[in-house]
Amino acid sequence: MIHDILVPQLGVNDEFVTIVEWRVNDGDKVEVGTPLCIIETTKAVVDLLAENPGVIVRIRCEKERVAIKDLLGYIGDSWEEIQRLIPEKQATGKKSVGGEADIKATQKARALAESLGVDIGLILKKGIIREKDVQEFYASRQKEF
C-alpha cells in the first residue's frame, strides 16, 4: 500500500508552505513519527512527521513552495511496490502529477532520461522536469544497487 504525504493545514490563513529541508532521502525506511522534512508557514517552522511506516519517495525539492493539501511524496511498504504503484496513481490522477501525457519536461531532460534509461514518468515533480531533476532521480536510484 502507498500512502500520500500531504501538506497539512497548520495555520488557518496559510495557503502555502516552504520546504526548508528534507530530513530523509528517497528509499529511506521510516517509522511512524520519523521527521520527514521541515516546513515553514507564515508564522512557524515545524517538522512534518511520518504518519505511516515504510519506504519514502520525495516529489518536492527543498526551498519549493507547496500548496496546502498538495502532495509532498509517498510512503510505501517497499521500494518495489512504490515503483509498481506510483505509475498507476499517476494514470488515475489520484493526488499525483498526472499521466505521462501530462508530463512537462525540457528536451534536454527527455534526452538525458532516455540516455540513462530513466522512465521520465517516474520523476514525480510538479512543473517542468529539467536535466537536474533527471540527474537527481538517477543518482537516488543508483544507491539501491
Side-chain angles (χ1 to χ4, degrees), residues 28-133:
D28 285 355
K29 290 186 179 185
V30 297
E31 300 296 328
V32 172
T34 300
L36 301 175
C37 63
I38 300 171
I39 56 176
E40 181 177 25
T41 69
T42 55
K43 296 185 179 186
V45 176
V46 298
D47 273 324
L48 181 63
L49 306 178
E51 295 179 1
N52 304 94
V55 177
I56 188 161
V57 172
R58 307 170 304 170
I59 66 165
R60 301 301 185 137
C61 300
E62 290 180 354
K63 312 298 184 229
E64 188 173 352
R65 258 180 72 145
V66 185
I68 301 300
K69 304 287 184 200
D70 211 348
L71 191 63
L72 292 172
Y74 300 103
I75 296 178
D77 294 332
S78 69
W79 187 254
E80 294 75 25
E81 179 186 49
I82 289 170
Q83 289 180 316
R84 184 175 45 90
L85 292 179
I86 285 178
E88 290 176 22
K89 287 177 81 79
Q90 287 180 312
T92 59
K94 294 181 182 175
K95 295 197 188 290
S96 66
V97 238
E100 187 159 340
D102 297 331
I103 295 170
K104 294 182 179 110
T106 65
Q107 288 181 345
K108 288 182 179 181
R110 287 185 186 279
L112 178 60
E114 187 175 329
S115 72
L116 295 174
V118 170
D119 178 355
I120 205 157
L122 294 177
I123 302 174
L124 302 175
K125 180 185 180 218
K126 220 173 202 180
I128 298 171
I129 297 172
R130 303 190 185 287
E131 283 180 290
K132 175 183 157 216
D133 303 314

Side-chain angles (χ1 to χ4, degrees), residues 129-144:
I129 297 172
R130 303 190 185 287
E131 283 180 290
K132 175 183 157 216
D133 303 314
V134 175
Q135 291 167 341
E136 288 174 357
F137 180 86
Y138 181 76
S140 71
R141 298 319 182 257
Q142 293 309 298
K143 68 180 178 182
E144 295 171 36

